[in-house]
Amino acid sequence: MNISVIVPVYNVEKYLNKCVESIIENTYKKIEIILVDDGSTDKSGEMCDELSERDSRIKVIHKLNGGLSSARNAGLEIATGEYISFVDSDDYIAPIMYERMMDAAIKNNADIVQCGVYKVSETGVVSTAFEVQDWCCKGTDILDYFYAMHKIPVMVCNKLFRKSIIGSHRMMLGRNNEDNIFIIDVLQELRCVVSVHDQYYYYLTRSNSIMASTFTEKKFDSIYAYNYMCDRTKIIAPHYLAYVQYWKCMNSFYLWYDVWRSNIDEETRRKYNDVIRKEFDSTYPYVIELGDKVCRKDKIRLRLFKINKNLAARIYNMYLKGIDR
């Protein structure tokens, strides 16, 4: 079976070769690599063409800048593989990633196969982003694994997707947190999901990335994404709605933290915090309702956040600094 690897490319001349070489060098050779140059203004577009001359499996699309979702969608339109993989152009993958994941896909006739993820700092420090375990779930159990057990992260880059379950589904344009929206859209199509515990995907944390940049209103796209997930959950699995509200509540904590550490002016800070405070107040009752189904760490963090939001942010910041040491 073939895999179509879709790589959106935008101004990543510093990282592109390492990313593509990690895909080329994979031990699983039945792949097509689709490099989507999304209107790069550096040498990335030229590098895509040079890479395609080195390996006949590489196809290149040059398009006007439209963002990550637009680039991924352009790749999906020409993908011919039975399975689809998304790799971001500043990340890279382990040499055996596709061989191990395709073995699991074929053995279990899986719609999705996922693996664990490492994060890599710009100085090259590698640490665990998240771990997954070995398991296979089918049918209605998939909903429980996704909502209640939190065993299927929304990240798309650590997954192989059977192309037929993607069908006409596409990444939402003009929004960040597109992974959340895409996963919830394909969730009802799934019949079998497999997880392999090894960490094969290496996610680069860049200081100028979307997630690390100074706070802007664009980060409120996460609220839109969770509202979208709520709306879809009401249709496909309404009895799991409280879990999405719990995720929304945690998201309000992370948004507050991002505002707290930003250098925005006080008037803007108050405006943003008012939005986040309302989001928290509307979702925290669901955390209470779920009780012991909420992990202890989140329960403590949210309880403190309810009492003193800036103190909770300060403690969380100390916690993150401790992890990075």
Side-chain angles (χ1 to χ4, degrees), residues 49-311:
D49 293 331
E50 292 169 0
L51 286 162
S52 70
E53 293 175 2
R54 288 172 44 192
D55 195 308
S56 61
R57 296 174 298 172
I58 297 178
K59 301 177 181 179
V60 179
I61 299 173
H62 296 284
K63 61 183 288 296
L64 295 175
N65 180 254
L68 179 63
S69 291
S70 173
R72 285 175 173 171
N73 290 345
L76 282 171
E77 292 303 319
I78 69 166
T80 62
E82 289 93 339
Y83 282 86
I84 303 292
S85 170
F86 299 100
V87 176
D88 287 346
S89 52
D90 48 1
D91 301 336
Y92 58 96
I93 62 176
I96 59 171
M97 174 171 166
Y98 291 137
E99 182 178 347
R100 295 290 175 82
M101 293 178 76
M102 279 303 299
D103 283 348
I106 293 168
K107 178 181 178 181
N108 297 282
N109 193 24
D111 296 319
I112 286 180
V113 181
Q114 68 174 14
C115 67
V117 177
Y118 286 117
K119 63 179 178 179
V120 185
S121 72
E122 287 190 294
T123 58
V125 177
V126 178
S127 57
T128 296
F130 59 81
E131 295 179 294
V132 296
Q133 302 301 316
D134 286 324
W135 49 258
C136 174
C137 68
K138 298 182 179 181
T140 56
D141 287 345
I142 294 172
L143 294 176
D144 207 48
Y145 271 59
F146 177 73
Y147 287 108
M149 300 170 70
H150 314 296
K151 288 190 173 184
I152 308 176
V154 296
M155 180 182 189
V156 301
C157 288
N158 73 322
K159 295 176 176 64
L160 286 182
F161 295 85
R162 190 196 299 272
K163 185 183 178 185
S164 60
I165 67 105
I166 293 177
S168 61
H169 295 300
R170 293 295 183 266
M171 302 285 174
M172 182 170 287
L173 299 177
R175 297 280 185 180
N176 292 339
N177 301 93
E178 63 283 335
D179 287 12
N180 300 55
I181 295 170
F182 185 74
I183 288 294
I184 202 73
D185 278 343
V186 302
L187 187 63
Q188 62 184 330
E189 314 288 348
L190 304 178
R191 298 295 176 266
C192 177
V193 178
V194 174
S195 180
V196 292
H197 78 275
D198 300 274
Q199 290 160 290
Y200 294 136
Y201 193 90
Y202 292 78
Y203 166 72
L204 179 67
T205 55
R206 293 166 58 190
S207 59
N208 63 341
S209 70
I210 292 173
M211 298 305 292
S213 59
T214 300
F215 195 95
T216 68
E217 285 193 24
K218 194 64 180 168
K219 289 196 175 181
F220 284 131
D221 278 357
S222 61
I223 295 177
Y224 175 90
Y226 282 112
N227 285 337
Y228 184 94
M229 294 179 79
C230 280
D231 290 341
R232 294 295 299 149
T233 300
K234 288 175 185 176
I235 297 171
I236 65 175
H239 50 294
Y240 289 108
L241 182 59
Y243 289 99
V244 188
Q245 297 285 4
Y246 156 36
W247 301 341
K248 284 183 67 182
C249 191
M250 284 303 303
N251 182 61
S252 67
F253 169 80
Y254 294 127
L255 284 172
W256 187 283
Y257 171 73
D258 284 345
V259 171
W260 175 83
R261 70 189 180 110
S262 70
N263 57 0
I264 56 178
D265 63 86
E266 286 306 309
E267 182 179 352
T268 304
R269 189 185 305 276
R270 283 194 296 271
K271 182 180 73 170
Y272 288 165
N273 282 346
D274 283 345
V275 174
I276 299 167
R277 189 178 288 106
K278 290 176 183 177
E279 182 77 0
F280 175 79
D281 290 343
S282 68
T283 55
Y284 187 67
Y286 292 94
V287 176
I288 302 302
E289 175 187 329
L290 286 172
D292 291 339
K293 295 175 183 177
V294 175
C295 79
R296 185 172 179 271
K297 181 172 64 177
D298 287 351
K299 190 181 297 186
I300 293 171
R301 187 172 292 161
L302 291 173
R303 189 176 299 163
L304 177 59
F305 187 61
K306 182 174 177 59
I307 297 169
N308 190 320
K309 292 177 172 52
N310 286 334
L311 176 61

